[in-house]
């Protein structure tokens, strides 16, 4: 009999323990735990302007945003010829740079960087010549200057900052340097023959 009473008590306790309460628990110090949430474009009676949308405080930077300090400068105006490339020219970085270059740069600058991409062709079809990234002028640029051109744009070329991440822009610079090295080697081979 004692065994049955214990079993019934245990069963009742489990049933009551698993029941959900219909009323919320008491909150003694809610502070800001239950602030009223507002939908976009909803009126907020507490705000001065009546809008639920808030303007971020001055100097606030969104998460994952890294401001580019040289925006608005010409390539020749970059202090110390721009930034230094933080990536090594290992195989993985070069392959990533090549993939991004072939996607975003080769339509105008060409597969080998000669300025004769599919959009341009041998004779300029778009009304103006496109600079070759293997030209002596571009070879004289620092890595930071090439990065700046991809980031901020130059001449008729618009900025690719929204399409290509900063990391991938540096890898494109590594690949452009390899194209320039290849061009130097082929010119030396031709000069020897």
């Amino acid at each position: 009999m004692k065994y049955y009473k214990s079993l019934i008590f245990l069963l009742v306790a489990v049933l009551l323990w698993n029941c959900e309460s219909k009323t919320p628990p008491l909150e003694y110090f809610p502070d800001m735990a239950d602030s009223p949430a507002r939908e976009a474009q909803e009126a907020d009676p507490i705000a001065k302007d009546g809008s639920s949308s808030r303007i971020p405080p001055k100097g606030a930077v969104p998460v994952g945003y890294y401001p580019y300090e040289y925006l608005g400068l010409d390539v020749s105006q970059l202090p110390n010829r721009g930034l230094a490339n933080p990536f090594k020219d290992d195989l993985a970085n070069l392959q990533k740079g090549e993939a991004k270059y072939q996607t975003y740069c080769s339509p105008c600058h060409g597969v080998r960087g000669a300025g004769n991409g599919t959009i341009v062709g041998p004779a300029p079809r778009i009304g103006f010549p496109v600079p070759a990234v293997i030209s002596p002028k571009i070879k004289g640029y620092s890595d930071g200057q090439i990065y700046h051109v991809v980031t901020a744009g130059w001449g008729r070329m618009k900025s690719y900052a929204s399409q290509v991440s900063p990391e991938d822009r540096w890898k494109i610079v590594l690949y452009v340097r390899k194209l320039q090295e290849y061009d130097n080697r082929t010119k030396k081979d031709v000069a020897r023959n």
Side-chain angles (χ1 to χ4, degrees):
M1 185 73 174
K2 186 176 179 184
Y3 175 74
Y4 290 117
K5 286 184 182 179
S6 299
L7 185 63
I8 291 173
F9 177 76
L10 182 65
L11 184 63
V12 170
V14 167
L15 287 174
L16 290 175
W17 184 39
N18 284 329
C19 291
E20 291 185 21
S21 174
K22 301 288 185 216
T23 60
L26 294 176
E27 294 180 11
Y28 297 104
F29 299 103
D31 293 335
M32 293 178 63
D34 292 329
S35 61
R38 303 281 181 215
E39 294 292 326
Q41 311 301 324
E42 183 181 355
D44 186 2
I46 299 172
K48 292 179 187 176
D49 62 354
S51 174
S52 63
S53 299
R54 301 285 191 259
I55 296 173
K58 187 174 182 171
V61 179
V63 174
Y65 173 75
Y66 302 100
Y68 184 64
E69 60 186 293
Y70 300 121
L71 205 58
L73 292 179
D74 189 49
V75 177
S76 59
Q77 297 173 333
L78 292 177
N80 298 326
R81 294 171 47 114
L83 307 165
N85 196 334
F87 295 96
K88 296 182 292 184
D89 61 344
D90 61 1
L91 184 61
N93 288 338
L94 286 171
Q95 286 175 336
K96 181 73 170 198
E98 179 183 12
K100 294 297 179 178
Y101 176 88
Q102 297 303 337
T103 301
Y104 295 103
C105 308
S106 71
C108 290
H109 294 285
V111 175
R112 298 276 183 225
N116 59 350
T118 55
I119 291 174
V120 180
R125 284 186 252 159
I126 55 176
F128 57 90
V130 174
V133 296
I134 58 172
S135 69
K137 181 179 180 180
I138 308 278
K139 285 179 184 177
Y141 281 2
S142 69
D143 287 355
Q145 287 174 309
I146 297 172
Y147 177 85
H148 177 73
V149 169
V150 176
T151 302
W154 182 44
R156 293 182 187 237
M157 179 179 152
K158 301 302 179 196
S159 168
Y160 277 84
S162 62
Q163 291 99 332
V164 185
S165 70
E167 178 180 312
D168 289 341
R169 282 180 248 153
W170 283 118
K171 292 175 182 177
I172 288 173
V173 171
L174 289 174
Y175 183 70
V176 165
R177 291 295 185 209
K178 285 299 175 188
L179 286 176
Q180 293 170 347
E181 284 177 26
Y182 177 77
D183 182 61
N184 289 340
R185 279 189 307 213
T186 55
K187 285 181 180 176
K188 285 179 185 175
D189 290 343
V190 169
R192 270 190 250 150
N193 293 336

